[in-house]
Amino acid sequence: MAKAKCVSYANSDTLESLQIIETESHPNCQDQGPSRSRGSKEGLSIYGLFHRLARTPQGRYKLRQWFLRPSKDKDMIEERLRTVGTLVHPSNTNVLDDIVKSLKEIKNIKTVLKNLRKGVNNRMSRGNMASVPIWSQLLAFAFHCLKIKDSVNQLQGIQTMAIFSKICSLFGTELGQVGQMIGQTIDLDESKLIQRPCVNSGQDSELDELKRQYDGLDSWLLEVANYMREQCPPEYQNRPNVLDAGYYPRIGYVLQVNEAYAPILEEYFNNLGRNWSELFSAEGYTHFKSVEMQEMDAKFGDLWYRITDREIEVVHDLAQWVLGFEQVLNRISETVAELDCLCALAQGTQLYNLSRPQMTTVNIIDIRGGRHLLQELSVDYYVANDAFLVGGNGSESPDGSDTTQSESSSDSAEGAPAILVMTGPNYSGKSVHLKQVALIVYMAHVGSYVPAESASRWPLL
């Protein structure tokens, strides 16, 4: 059976008073509105300090969940603390930087796959065919995830961590197959140029033949134009820009005749039974369909749209194949999100001078040199404070009296106060000190290092 999640839920008043999560209207009026994503941004808060250090959309979302639901699972908290400690070790500094650079290039794969499925379901519409960014994002996801795996393997001491096992088991053959297949099938450079997915040569024989014909179309049209000029009256054969042949998608193959000579040549060739019919005039030329052009229409067809339709089919087949890996790709994305959270906590540890807390089931708070992280960043000078408290175990004895101290903590907590009374004038720091203790405990249960010289014996919330 799966292990139940042990988390604590803080109400909105707690989150607001402690400034764990705090949203505010966006300062740019153009980004304000009814949409949650556009109407607000994260303000000065504990989560906000780490939010900007998460590099992926899924990582920022998961990090928010960690701060909204601090864990009561001691093993999980210790695992996060050990992993953060490994990431911030001086020997891993360069590798951590490489991991962060790779995380910046990774998009939310769930959204990408959702858009890919939409393209598959609407395959008959060229406008809804899986777009170029989807394939480039999938390819970047596969490439940078494999790059992250290589970087993680270089971390000193990570081999005993749970995140290492997840990465080694998931970031493997299937991810490489997806990246390789997309890279072989989709020509991203050409796709970006013409704003639709293009298929590399060698992937489909029918498509390759159509492209070969299309690439040789200019020489065919030149031969046709030379032949038609030879059929013109002698006085027009050597005149420049009299007649040419061209191709237009959806219209097909046409003769382009200089407007000055169009009526004369139309009458001349119609008298010969060539069935010239005028289509349109543009840029000084009149465009005609003739017997020769109709023969080319029948032989080659509308090459451009035949190529486009065949590429749609090839891309659709590729999309169906990639969606077969949807579950494993989503699991990899979840692992990326978890790694991103741990890297954000690690970077925050270095940036804000945090220390590792010691977790225990004993109901004691022991803080040395604690700091209020937000207040410290808001003032020029901040005085660190200690805190030492021991509480009850939260249960009652059979006779109804409260057991204020667990048996395991009685020795180490001997003489420790259970209650402290704080007095002082306004703006002397009483509220800041109380919030500081709460924030340090809260951050420890998230799995983060805390703003203190040393911190130990935290009660599990």
Side-chain angles (χ1 to χ4, degrees):
M1 295 180 63
K3 186 177 180 180
K5 293 183 178 180
C6 298
V7 297
S8 296
Y9 292 91
N11 59 30
S12 58
D13 291 336
T14 301
L15 296 174
E16 182 178 355
S17 61
L18 294 179
Q19 289 180 271
I20 304 294
I21 304 285
E22 185 170 310
T23 56
E24 60 184 32
S25 296
H26 201 284
N28 188 343
C29 63
Q30 295 180 352
D31 285 331
Q32 296 179 10
S35 171
R36 178 180 175 184
S37 60
R38 290 181 58 83
S40 63
K41 72 178 187 69
E42 189 65 29
L44 180 62
S45 65
I46 296 297
Y47 164 69
L49 297 179
F50 294 91
H51 167 84
R52 66 187 184 89
L53 301 176
R55 309 299 176 174
T56 65
Q58 58 268 46
R60 286 188 286 270
Y61 175 80
K62 181 177 282 291
L63 187 63
R64 184 181 179 88
Q65 299 307 307
W66 283 11
F67 275 89
L68 285 174
R69 302 168 184 173
S71 177
K72 295 192 293 185
D73 188 334
K74 185 173 181 291
D75 293 337
M76 179 182 292
I77 296 172
E78 291 287 359
E79 177 66 26
R80 292 178 184 174
L81 292 174
R82 285 196 301 269
T83 306
V84 171
T86 300
L87 292 173
V88 298
H89 194 275
S91 63
N92 292 327
T93 300
N94 293 333
V95 181
L96 178 59
D97 292 340
D98 292 338
I99 293 175
V100 170
K101 289 178 183 178
S102 296
L103 288 171
K104 289 180 181 179
E105 305 300 325
I106 294 178
K107 304 298 182 183
N108 189 349
I109 201 65
K110 288 185 177 180
T111 303
V112 174
L113 292 174
K114 181 180 178 181
N115 292 332
L116 180 63
R117 188 175 293 280
K118 287 181 180 179
V120 171
N121 293 336
N122 295 279
R123 62 175 296 206
M124 298 307 294
S125 172
R126 289 185 177 87
N128 290 327
M129 187 172 65
S131 63
V132 177
I134 289 178
W135 296 113
S136 60
Q137 289 167 5
L138 279 168
L139 187 60
F141 178 83
F143 173 78
H144 288 288
C145 282
L146 291 174
K147 192 173 180 180
I148 286 174
K149 181 181 179 181
D150 293 338
S151 298
V152 168
N153 282 323
Q154 300 175 30
L155 289 171
Q156 300 295 323
I158 197 68
Q159 289 73 19
T160 59
M161 309 301 172
I163 190 68
F164 178 79
S165 301
K166 291 180 182 179
I167 291 175
C168 289
S169 61
L170 290 174
F171 295 37
T173 304
E174 293 174 321
L175 186 62
Q177 289 176 347
V178 171
Q180 184 178 14
M181 182 61 73
I182 294 174
Q184 289 178 348
T185 304
I186 305 297
D187 186 344
L188 290 178
D189 293 335
E190 183 70 16
S191 299
K192 292 176 182 178
L193 183 63
I194 64 176
Q195 294 299 303
R196 68 171 180 82
C198 296
V199 178
N200 280 316
S201 59
Q203 301 302 309
D204 184 83
S205 57
E206 179 182 347
L207 181 60
D208 290 344
E209 177 60 23
L210 290 173
K211 288 185 175 181
R212 187 191 65 79
Q213 293 178 7
Y214 185 79
D215 292 339
L217 194 58
D218 289 341
S219 60
W220 277 94
L221 292 173
L222 180 60
E223 291 183 12
V224 171
N226 291 335
Y227 170 77
M228 293 302 299
R229 280 193 288 268
E230 292 175 356
Q231 306 299 314
C232 291
E235 62 270 23
Y236 296 104
Q237 290 181 3
N238 296 323
R239 292 186 183 183
N241 301 323
V242 173
L243 181 148
D244 207 345
Y247 164 76
Y248 293 91
R250 295 189 181 276
I251 296 176
Y253 306 93
V254 297
L255 290 174
Q256 303 168 332
V257 182
N258 192 303
E259 287 182 343
Y261 311 112
I264 301 173
L265 294 181
E266 179 182 7
E267 181 181 2
Y268 175 79
F269 281 102
N270 281 334
N271 291 334
L272 296 177
R274 299 295 183 89
N275 298 325
W276 277 32
S277 58
E278 182 178 340
L279 298 178
F280 63 93
S281 296
E283 299 180 354
Y285 286 87
T286 303
H287 299 72
F288 294 92
K289 276 287 185 181
S290 67
V291 173
E292 293 79 7
M293 299 299 103
Q294 292 173 356
E295 290 177 353
M296 291 188 68
D297 285 337
K299 181 176 181 179
F300 298 110
D302 198 337
L303 279 178
W304 177 257
Y305 281 95
R306 287 177 65 189
I307 291 172
T308 302
D309 290 341
R310 185 55 189 165
E311 284 188 322
I312 289 176
E313 295 177 3
V314 174
V315 172
H316 176 267
D317 291 342
L318 175 63
Q320 292 281 32
W321 182 83
V322 170
L323 288 172
F325 296 90
E326 184 172 9
Q327 291 185 354
V328 67
L329 290 176
N330 283 329
R331 290 199 299 271
I332 292 172
S333 181
E334 287 293 323
T335 304
V336 167
E338 183 178 352
L339 177 63
D340 194 15
C341 292
L342 294 169
C343 289
L345 294 179
Q347 293 175 87
T349 296
Q350 298 171 327
L351 188 61
Y352 306 122
N353 189 27
L354 307 181
S355 301
R356 176 175 176 172
Q358 177 184 344
M359 305 299 295
T360 178
T361 55
V362 177
N363 201 359
I364 291 177
I365 297 176
D366 187 1
I367 301 173
R368 296 289 182 267
R371 312 186 313 273
H372 189 297
L373 195 53
L374 298 178
Q375 184 71 14
E376 181 185 27
L377 295 173
S378 303
V379 297
D380 295 331
Y381 182 72
Y382 185 85
V383 178
N385 297 278
D386 299 339
F388 186 33
L389 288 170
V390 60
N393 59 9
S395 62
E396 293 184 352
S397 62
D399 60 1
S401 62
D402 180 33
T403 58
T404 59
Q405 193 168 299
S406 65
E407 184 176 322
S408 61
S409 65
S410 59
D411 295 336
S412 60
E414 184 177 356
I419 297 176
L420 291 175
V421 177
M422 297 186 63
T423 62
N426 292 341
Y427 291 96
S428 62
K430 301 186 299 297
S431 298
V432 171
H433 181 73
L434 290 173
K435 291 179 180 180
Q436 164 194 305
V437 175
L439 284 175
I440 291 175
V441 173
Y442 197 101
M443 290 177 65
H445 282 273
V446 171
S448 169
Y449 277 34
V450 297
E453 293 179 5
S454 66
S456 60
R457 295 174 181 169
W458 304 101
L460 296 181
L461 297 176

